[in-house]
Structure formats: structure tokens, C-alpha cells
Amino acid sequence: MFKKLSQISLLFLLGLQTLFAGSVNDGYVEYQNGNNQQAIEIFKKACENGSSSGCYNLGLMYYNGTQVEQEYFKAAEAFAKACDDGHDKACYNLAYMYQNGYGVRLDPVKAITLYEKTCASGVGGSCYNLSNIYETGEVVEKDSFKAVDYLVKACNLDHSKACFNLALRYQNEDGVEKNPLRAAQLYEKSCNLGNSKACYNLGIMYTTNDYFKKDNIKALELFTKACGMNLKEACKAYDDLRGLVY
């Protein structure tokens, strides 16, 4: 049985950045050494001196609350400052906070505006989230065409879940013309990007002659890969198929 549509995964908070100003690197060293309060003070000073990466890192620390008090308001404030200075990942995180009302007043329209900006700048997670927004129709009018368009953009930016969801659409004729071979290509790309469900679904396709020539050896390879990513269904599929092949 094929794995279904990947659930919405909105949080896209990345690790602390170490590039840019030397003071930001100093903050990262303190963070790595477990000196979180010192790291915050360094990032705060860098942020005040105009370093967008300093503001971004400060926002991450306040958002995650790792060994420091979690303060969404301060996180949003820091992300907003970095975003105003053109930091795309900070804009993405701020969009997520507006979408969910974390530290700011709930504002889906503002979230969409920021997602659109960062999607255009090459943040795949933003394109993916826009696709989900237009697919659900909870915030804006449902628009399957836009949902697919943003999935394509996200997949082209190597967003594994976007490629997986797009593959499902091509396989099931959902908003696009049915094209199993295109679905297989997208599953393969998503699998190579680390999506276990994509590896599993592609493996299933190889166990029949419904899509292309049956290849149980290839299927076993894909099930092995997905099982290695802790997908239980893939481990079971491997055990079941291995008994038939060997």
C-alpha cells in the first residue's frame, strides 16, 4: 500500500549561522560550549550593531528555548529585525510565527506575504507552505492550480516533501494529468533527498508491472533504504519480498 500525502510540516528553523561578522562566530563558539547566556549577549550586541545573522541567531535561541527561557515575543522581534535587513530565513521563521500566532498577533495574510517573498528568494520551505495554504483553503480561497505551482517551485528547490507530494499528484491524477513515469522520477528525487516514504512508494511501483517493468531487486534496494530511515512499513515490505526473491 502506498504512503499517502505528507502532512504539513511548517517549522523550518535552521541551525545557528557562523558566517558573517566575527562577533557572531564568537557567539556560536559560546553556544557550542554550552555558554548560552554569553552567546545571547554576543548575538544581541551583534544584532544591535546591524548584523542580520546576529539577529537571526538571537531569534533562534529565544524560539527554541534551549537552556534559556523560551520567549516567542523576543524571538519574533529578533527575526523581524533580521528580516528587515534582508535575511530570508528570518523572514521565513517570522512568517511561521504570524501563521501560528507565536509571539505576534495571528496574521495569516502577513504570513503569506512573507512566504511569497522568501519563496521568490529561493526558500523551498516557503513555497511548500504556500502550496499547503492554497490546498487547504483555510486562509485563502482554495486554488489547486496555485498549490501545484508552488509544489513545483519547492521541489525544484530540493524540498523533499514537495517532491513527494507532487509525485502523489502525478500518480493519482490529482490536479495534474496522470503520469506514473513522472511520479517515479519525483519519488526518486525525493528519496535521494532523504524522504523515506518516497523510497517506499517507488519500491512498491517496482513490485508490479502496472507502471514499468517489474524489478524486485530494485524494490528491495529501495525498501532497504527506507527501512534504514526507520520506516516500519518498508522494513516489513523488505522482509516479505526478500522471502519471494531469495
Side-chain angles (χ1 to χ4, degrees), residues 214-229:
K214 182 176 179 178
D215 188 338
N216 284 337
I217 300 300
K218 181 67 175 177
L220 283 173
E221 292 175 357
L222 289 162
F223 291 151
T224 299
K225 189 170 184 178
C227 181
M229 299 178 204

Side-chain angles (χ1 to χ4, degrees), residues 68 164 186:
V68 296
F164 174 78
L186 289 164

Side-chain angles (χ1 to χ4, degrees), residues 39-78:
I40 283 181
E41 292 304 318
I42 292 172
F43 291 145
K44 187 183 296 183
K45 184 174 181 180
C47 180
E48 290 170 352
N49 290 333
S51 170
S52 61
S53 58
C55 299
Y56 173 71
N57 287 353
L58 182 63
L60 285 179
M61 294 198 71
Y62 280 131
Y63 185 96
N64 290 326
T66 306
Q67 298 182 20
V68 296
E69 185 177 356
Q70 187 176 55
E71 298 186 67
Y72 287 148
F73 174 77
K74 288 185 177 180
E77 190 176 52

Side-chain angles (χ1 to χ4, degrees), residues 17-30 42-43 57:
Q17 293 194 332
T18 59
L19 301 178
F20 306 99
S23 61
V24 176
N25 289 338
D26 292 340
Y28 182 76
V29 170
E30 294 293 346
I42 292 172
F43 291 145
N57 287 353

Side-chain angles (χ1 to χ4, degrees), residues 67-164:
Q67 298 182 20
V68 296
E69 185 177 356
Q70 187 176 55
E71 298 186 67
Y72 287 148
F73 174 77
K74 288 185 177 180
E77 190 176 52
F79 286 143
K81 190 168 184 179
C83 180
D84 288 343
D85 288 337
H87 197 294
D88 289 329
K89 291 166 187 173
C91 293
Y92 175 96
N93 291 348
L94 186 61
Y96 173 79
M97 297 185 83
Y98 273 116
Q99 186 178 7
N100 294 278
Y102 293 162
V104 293
R105 180 176 295 181
L106 186 70
D107 191 340
V109 175
K110 180 68 172 177
I112 290 173
T113 299
L114 288 166
Y115 282 143
E116 288 174 342
K117 174 185 175 182
T118 47
C119 174
S121 297
V123 179
S126 292
C127 306
Y128 177 72
N129 289 352
L130 283 168
S131 174
N132 287 322
I133 287 171
Y134 280 106
E135 179 61 27
T136 60
E138 295 175 358
V139 176
V140 296
E141 184 177 354
K142 182 179 173 71
D143 190 328
S144 294
F145 177 79
K146 284 188 176 181
V148 171
D149 185 50
Y150 280 118
L151 270 186
V152 171
K153 289 179 180 179
C155 181
N156 288 340
L157 291 167
D158 293 339
H159 193 285
S160 65
K161 289 183 179 179
C163 296
F164 174 78

